[in-house]
Amino acid sequence: MTPRAVAAGAILSSQALLVAAFAAAGRPIGMAAAAACAACWLMVLARSAPGASACLGAALGLATLALLADAPAWLPSLGAGAGLAAWDLTAFCARGERAPDAPGERALLASRLRALALGILPGLALAGLLGHVRLDLPFAAMAAVAAAAVLLLDRASRRWG
């Protein structure tokens, strides 16, 4: 499978999850917006145009709107994670990183996918676990906990990444 095919699959997966989230919330305009975002993102991928970051921003905005529309939280969360993977793979394809031979290209893509999995899956797992936890802490305490979590994740990624 080529990097472009994998990137297209990630784009379609992320936006399909957002379409499903808006469908569950009963918001047809959101469904159309997610489908339009997918079409724009696929055009960016096909042309190697510099619009992947704008597409990611739109997808994350749509995920936020889906949450606000009372969609099941797991759908937009997975859509956002797949969107991050799609953004990275789109940028990877735009840079044109290719190996001189097909086995080398497969190894390069496999390495990239492993790195993405190590970066995105722990965050999704943490979001899934903490989605059911309700803490009644003041904002400053929550901000401190979030900052500590970010620092710990950064330290872990530097050590094991």
Side-chain angles (χ1 to χ4, degrees):
M1 199 170 245
T2 67
R4 283 199 187 282
V6 174
I11 291 167
L12 292 173
S13 297
S14 71
Q15 298 311 299
L17 287 163
L18 293 180
V19 167
F22 282 114
R27 306 289 181 157
I29 292 175
M31 294 168 59
C37 183
C40 290
W41 207 336
L42 288 172
M43 284 190 283
V44 165
L45 176 66
R47 297 176 186 262
S48 295
S53 295
C55 294
L56 174 64
L60 294 178
L62 287 169
T64 302
L65 289 174
L67 285 171
L68 292 174
D70 291 328
W74 64 274
L75 284 169
S77 297
L78 286 177
L84 285 172
W87 169 74
D88 184 76
L89 291 168
T90 303
F92 180 71
C93 291
R95 283 192 303 272
E97 293 182 29
R98 301 184 70 87
D101 57 348
E105 186 171 316
R106 281 193 297 273
L108 190 62
L109 179 61
S111 171
R112 188 61 166 219
L113 292 174
R114 272 192 301 278
L116 277 171
L118 287 173
I120 293 173
L121 292 178
L124 288 175
L126 187 62
L129 290 173
L130 296 180
H132 302 290
V133 175
R134 298 286 179 234
L135 298 175
D136 289 329
L137 295 175
F139 177 76
M142 291 296 269
V145 168
V150 167
L151 290 174
L152 287 172
L153 287 172
D154 178 61
R155 187 169 281 241
S157 70
R158 291 177 192 266
R159 182 172 182 187
W160 295 307

